[in-house]
Amino acid sequence: MSVARRPVLALVVALCASAALAACGSSGNNDNKQITSTLTTGLKTNDPQILCTKTFSTSFVSRVYGSHAKCIAVETKNAKTNKPATAVKVSNIAVNGGTATAVVALTGGDDSGTSGQLSLVSQKEGWRVDDLSTALLRSQFDAGVRNDTTIPADLKTCIATKVRALDDASFRNLAYGSIGDQPAAQAQVKKLVTACLAQSAGSTGGSSSGTASVLRKKFDEGVAASLRKDGIGAAAIACVQRRLRSAISDKQIVALIGAGTTKVPPKLAEATAAAMAACNATK
């Protein structure tokens, strides 16, 4: 993971984002069959066109993403890492004219263990997901926390505690904002992550061994990926990483990643340039 990316924003985005929920099972009428088909297709694909055109309602896309184009862009990015469910149980489909509700339970993928109710609306193209209940969003978040293995345990626990403490309205705003990759949600998540990183570091006098070691590993991987992209050889990359481990402290790594900024601090840029020069890490 590149040092310039938001390494933990992806947590909430992955935990709350893949909002296309699906169902499989018997259905008693044509509406039930169409609802099941829409949900199943939406769950078992990362295709942005299917999600944004054939799964979400036009109202959902407008409320959550802002536009169809933004939906395509966000889901195209998510498709690189999101793992959809492998099985879904649906129950309690209830159709009332042009609206409907269904209860789903997901197995497999990033959101395995998620369950709850969602709402659908009938459009001229067919049934589309129009809203997710707060219970479903919270269940999806909790499932994501359980299933995520990329975030240090102490950091994940801190973030989860803060998010779970939000009232329903605030939680929904954060969840939907994360789904739509909205700036306000990004800023809120960065604030939560920064606070948790500071809390983790402060609890051990400057560096939490669990958090710092994992984040440093991510930093090292980001440095290596960036240098490989520039055509730098393995020996030179290893040299740069060794020098940066001496030049940059765990506390600085935690602060850098917690800030979630794409702007590299001057001291880090200077240390990187010096390490590259010393290791002859040039094209």
Side-chain angles (χ1 to χ4, degrees), residues 241-264:
Q241 289 177 318
R242 286 195 300 272
R243 286 182 173 272
L244 289 179
R245 290 185 194 115
S246 299
I248 302 173
S249 68
D250 285 356
K251 186 175 182 179
Q252 287 174 307
I253 296 294
V254 170
L256 172 65
I257 295 180
T261 180
T262 59
K263 184 177 180 181
V264 179

Side-chain angles (χ1 to χ4, degrees), residues 44 104 159 219:
K44 295 185 177 181
V104 293
I159 294 171
F219 176 78

Side-chain angles (χ1 to χ4, degrees), residues 52-269:
C52 299
T53 305
K54 297 183 178 181
T55 303
F56 304 138
S57 71
T58 54
S59 175
F60 184 95
V61 169
S62 178
R63 294 194 320 269
V64 176
Y65 297 92
S67 69
H68 184 267
K70 176 69 180 298
C71 181
I72 294 294
V74 170
E75 293 306 329
T76 297
K77 180 178 67 174
N78 291 341
K80 297 176 182 179
T81 56
N82 284 357
K83 296 178 182 178
T86 56
V88 181
K89 179 180 179 181
V90 65
S91 61
N92 298 344
I93 294 178
V95 178
N96 183 13
T99 62
T101 58
V103 174
V104 293
L106 310 182
T107 302
D110 294 328
D111 299 324
S112 184
T114 295
S115 63
Q117 181 173 281
L118 54 77
S119 301
L120 303 99
V121 63
S122 179
Q123 299 182 169
K124 63 180 181 179
E125 304 86 357
W127 287 98
R128 298 291 184 265
V129 174
D130 196 52
D131 199 11
L132 307 178
S133 67
T134 302
L136 177 56
L137 287 169
R138 287 192 180 276
S139 176
Q140 192 173 33
F141 176 79
D142 287 342
V145 169
R146 289 193 303 272
N147 298 332
D148 187 273
T149 59
T150 65
I151 307 300
D154 55 343
L155 181 60
K156 185 166 65 172
T157 298
C158 178
I159 294 171
T161 299
K162 290 181 182 295
V163 172
R164 288 168 180 151
L166 296 174
D167 60 59
D168 285 350
S170 297
F171 178 83
R172 287 182 66 83
N173 285 337
L174 178 60
Y176 273 149
S178 296
I179 292 172
D181 207 15
Q182 298 171 9
Q186 295 174 8
Q188 184 176 359
V189 171
K190 288 179 183 178
K191 184 177 180 180
L192 288 172
V193 171
T194 301
C196 285
L197 285 169
Q199 176 179 317
S200 178
S203 67
T204 57
S207 174
S208 168
S209 58
T211 298
S213 62
V214 173
L215 295 185
R216 178 170 282 282
K217 180 180 179 181
K218 290 180 179 294
F219 176 78
D220 284 349
E221 291 172 350
V223 169
S226 179
L227 293 177
R228 279 195 296 270
K229 186 176 180 180
D230 289 337
I232 307 302
I237 291 174
C239 175
V240 170
Q241 289 177 318
R242 286 195 300 272
R243 286 182 173 272
L244 289 179
R245 290 185 194 115
S246 299
I248 302 173
S249 68
D250 285 356
K251 186 175 182 179
Q252 287 174 307
I253 296 294
V254 170
L256 172 65
I257 295 180
T261 180
T262 59
K263 184 177 180 181
V264 179
K267 289 185 177 180
L268 176 56

